[in-house]
């Protein structure tokens, strides 16, 4: 697949349904026996789910955990590293001191209150998750508070991000795909969910491209082993070509950065039964999602629920095996951080009458590469203006807010992360 096939498109095709029909024809011909390959992938996933359930029964959680000190001191064992790569997710315990994080949580609330956010809030401005069952979590569209920026440019955050980036194979095809030790300061929002909340959560999905996963030329190279009927050789940790994927541009929703991991830092204590993050801890499960639409029971111009401009949904109707493997994070304390590989299926569980707060700050690992540097420069402009970043709806609440984090407060990590050094 060295030359891009005729159906491939780096831009959103005018008639994307026609592209889907052409894609299915070409990939079926290339794979050969699609049902046999799908059966092989399904058997692998079923075995992994059984191992996940067994570990959950034994220890209470299938999630790998590391203490930040172990990571910072370079004491992570090969066995620990292998388990993180197998599961594609990780809880970092004591990533930040508890009192520091509780202080950040309070300062966030003060920032919202001082600037009378409740009086000016206009409600959710995007519908990115509109194709999933359930409502939106309680997401606040603010980006430039002291707390958020201090967390993003903190040396403990940079240390963890570098560790996570280095789980990937960074060099191949005679190229280094990204710099693991410098991270773009990808700005995202915060969730503040008060006690007593009843929320429908967010259905299982993956981010960073839906339609693109079948049609984008770079993604076709990323998933080439799968499409050549060599699932055993497919490595979800190989960075080759991933930094060349540009998501199709839709109004108000896009991810312009390559993230090795998505993540958030807990601003309060949360127990695993209170509407928390679930993942399917199997990075190779992407193969199931990619092959499922090629089976004969799916309409020729459809991709099992994929709609342009929305996340890639995992649905009981099309992906029952994957739904069975959804696994909650363990209980977390303020200062722990939670991470999952960019391909990993994830959801937010529903909750009734939530006990305690459910506050998190979203900070991913987005290693510097030409793609992420381009976006970092856009982020810098938004930061200087107090505007919403380009990947998010233009809400611009903070342009004239007091106590906003300013350029003079950037440290070396912050300056590098915004492309200033």
């Amino acid at each position: 697949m060295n030359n891009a096939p005729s159906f491939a498109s780096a831009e959103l095709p005018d008639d994307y349904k026609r592209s889907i029909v052409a894609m299915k024809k070409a990939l079926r011909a290339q794979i050969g026996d699609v049902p046999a390959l799908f059966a092989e992938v399904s058997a692998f996933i079923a075995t992994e789910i059984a191992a996940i359930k067994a570990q959950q029964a034994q220890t209470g959680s299938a999630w790998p955990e590391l203490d930040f000190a172990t990571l910072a001191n370079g004491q992570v064992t090969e066995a620990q590293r292998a388990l993180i790569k197998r599961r594609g997710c990780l809880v970092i315990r004591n990533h930040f001191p508890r009192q520091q994080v509780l202080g950040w949580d309070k300062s966030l609330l003060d920032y919202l209150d001082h600037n009378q956010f409740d009086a000016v809030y206009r409600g959710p401005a995007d519908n990115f998750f509109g194709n999933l069952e359930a409502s939106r979590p309680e997401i606040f569209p603010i980006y430039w508070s002291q707390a958020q920026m201090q967390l993003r440019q903190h040396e403990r955050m940079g240390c963890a991000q570098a560790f996570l980036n280095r789980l990937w194979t960074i060099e191949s095809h005679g190229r280094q795909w990204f710099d693991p030790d410098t991270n773009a300061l990808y700005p995202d929002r915060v969730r503040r969910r008060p006690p007593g909340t009843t929320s429908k959560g967010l259905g299982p999905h993956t981010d960073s491209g839906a339609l693109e996963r079948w049609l984008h030329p770079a993604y076709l190279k990323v998933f080439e082993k799968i499409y050549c009927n060599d699932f055993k050789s497919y490595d979800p940790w190989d960075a080759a070509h991933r930094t060349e994927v540009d998501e199709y541009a839709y109004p108000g929703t896009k991810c312009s950065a390559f993230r090795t991991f998505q993540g958030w830092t807990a601003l309060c204590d949360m127990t695993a039964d209170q509407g928390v993050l679930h993942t399917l801890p199997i990075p190779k499960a992407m193969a199931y999602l990619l092959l499922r639409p090629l089976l004969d029971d799916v309409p020729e111009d459809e991709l099992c629920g994929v709609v342009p401009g929305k996340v890639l949904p995992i649905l009981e109707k099309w992906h029952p095996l994957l739904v069975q493997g959804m696994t909650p994070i363990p209980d977390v304390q303020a200062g722990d951080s939670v991470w999952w590989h960019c391909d990993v299926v994830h959801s937010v569980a529903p909750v009734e009458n939530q006990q305690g707060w459910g506050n998190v700050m979203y900070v991913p690992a987005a290693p510097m590469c030409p793609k992420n540097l381009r976006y970092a420069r856009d982020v810098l402009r938004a930061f200087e203006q107090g505007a919403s970043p380009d990947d998010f709806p233009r809400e611009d609440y903070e342009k004239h807010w007091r106590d906003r984090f300013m350029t003079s407060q950037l440290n070396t990590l912050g300056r590098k992360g915004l492309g200033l050094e």
Side-chain angles (χ1 to χ4, degrees), residues 178-310:
F178 59 73
D179 171 4
D181 299 319
T182 304
N183 279 270
L185 242 64
Y186 188 84
D188 204 331
R189 301 172 282 195
V190 290
R191 186 185 79 197
R192 290 188 61 81
R193 214 168 60 193
T197 297
T198 292
S199 166
K200 294 180 188 168
L202 205 54
H205 62 282
T206 74
D207 299 334
S208 299
L211 198 56
E212 294 89 333
R213 291 200 179 258
W214 289 268
L215 301 184
H216 197 288
Y219 262 148
L220 288 164
K221 290 181 190 167
V222 169
F223 302 126
E224 188 167 22
K225 291 281 199 296
I226 296 167
Y227 294 140
C228 290
N229 204 338
D230 186 12
F231 173 63
K232 283 191 179 66
S233 301
Y234 169 62
D235 180 7
W237 299 95
D238 184 350
H241 307 293
R242 287 198 182 244
T243 57
E244 296 174 338
V245 176
D246 277 316
E247 282 195 19
Y248 299 153
Y250 310 107
T253 54
K254 195 172 187 291
C255 182
S256 301
F258 165 62
R259 297 173 291 189
T260 53
F261 280 79
Q262 290 174 252
W264 51 253
T265 302
L267 302 179
C268 60
D269 301 345
M270 287 174 276
T271 57
D273 59 356
Q274 295 299 308
V276 295
L277 179 83
H278 285 53
T279 64
L280 175 68
I282 308 172
K284 283 183 87 163
M286 183 52 68
Y288 182 106
L289 284 172
L290 295 173
L291 296 170
R292 183 66 188 86
L294 304 181
L295 297 183
D296 292 343
D297 63 337
V298 184
E300 280 301 282
D301 61 354
E302 287 188 23
L303 291 172
C304 301
V306 169
V307 186
K310 300 277 194 283

Side-chain angles (χ1 to χ4, degrees), residues 10-68:
E11 311 284 324
L12 178 65
D14 290 335
D15 184 354
Y16 74 90
K17 294 216 162 206
R18 183 184 295 176
S19 300
I20 291 172
V21 173
M23 175 274 293
K24 288 188 178 184
K25 186 178 177 188
L27 291 185
R28 283 172 182 146
Q30 184 171 307
I31 291 167
D33 192 343
V34 176
L37 177 58
F38 186 72
E40 179 191 344
V41 170
S42 298
F44 168 81
I45 291 170
T47 303
E48 286 296 280
I49 289 175
I52 288 159
K53 301 275 189 214
Q55 192 187 334
Q56 249 179 313
Q58 193 180 349
T59 63
S61 173
W63 276 64
E65 298 179 20
L66 282 179
D67 195 271
F68 177 75

Side-chain angles (χ1 to χ4, degrees), residues 68 71 92 95-96 100 104 147-165 180-181 183-186 261 263-266 335-339 361-366 413:
F68 177 75
L71 182 159
I92 300 177
H95 190 171
F96 294 93
Q100 182 173 30
W104 278 333
Q148 285 164 291
M149 288 297 287
Q150 286 170 18
L151 182 72
R152 287 174 196 143
Q153 67 168 11
H154 200 287
E155 59 183 19
R156 290 172 82 104
M157 180 55 76
C159 174
Q161 289 166 326
F163 168 79
L164 294 163
N165 292 337
D181 299 319
N183 279 270
L185 242 64
Y186 188 84
F261 280 79
W264 51 253
T265 302
D336 293 343
S337 63
V338 171
W339 302 89
M361 207 184 292
Y362 297 100
V363 181
L413 282 182

